[in-house]
Amino acid sequence: QVQVVESGGGLVQAGGSLRLSCAVSGRTFSNYAMGWFRQAPGKEREFVAAISRSGSTSYPDSVKGRFTISRDNAKNTVYLQMNSLKPEDTAVYYCAGKPLFRNEYDYWGQGIQVTVSS
């Protein structure tokens, strides 16, 4: 059973920074592509960042240049560094893992709240 646990959320003022961490159990973390998603109240879940097994990254325009995803395979952990935060970044952030040969993210964390005050 793969477990995904996010940490590092909280309340920050606009313009500030937060770093989210996501710890994944199991011995095959290096085989997973990892992603971060978010969902604000009343809105659909949206893609925030992804990192492949080889370390390639992708971001939507809304966070490009402000957010950075990274991974540490030795620690089974993926990070999301969020800088220049805006009130519209307020949401519950979810970490997810996509196993090798899968097209969907199969493993999801419980989510963690990030609130950016204006």
Side-chain angles (χ1 to χ4, degrees):
Q1 184 77 7
V2 175
Q3 290 187 322
V4 179
V5 180
E6 302 98 339
S7 62
L11 173 65
V12 64
Q13 287 188 332
S17 299
L18 278 177
R19 187 176 82 155
L20 303 183
S21 299
C22 171
V24 181
S25 66
R27 294 177 293 178
T28 57
F29 173 77
S30 60
N31 286 336
Y32 300 159
M34 298 298 300
W36 286 96
F37 297 79
R38 68 187 181 187
Q39 187 166 20
K43 295 187 176 181
E44 293 188 353
R45 186 173 62 196
E46 63 174 352
F47 166 70
V48 174
I51 187 166
S52 71
R53 293 180 297 118
S54 63
S56 299
T57 59
S58 61
Y59 308 91
D61 288 343
S62 58
V63 306
K64 194 174 294 182
R66 301 188 298 122
F67 290 11
T68 302
I69 188 171
S70 60
R71 66 189 299 158
D72 185 337
N73 289 340
K75 295 182 178 180
N76 281 21
T77 301
V78 63
Y79 304 97
L80 184 67
Q81 178 67 45
M82 304 184 293
N83 298 328
S84 301
L85 283 161
K86 305 175 181 180
E88 52 263 43
D89 294 318
T90 295
V92 176
Y93 283 69
Y94 297 90
C95 177
K98 182 166 56 176
L100 193 62
F101 304 128
R102 292 281 297 164
N103 291 324
E104 302 292 333
Y105 285 90
D106 284 349
Y107 306 120
W108 290 83
Q110 297 277 34
I112 192 163
Q113 179 70 43
V114 171
T115 302
V116 184
S117 63
S118 57

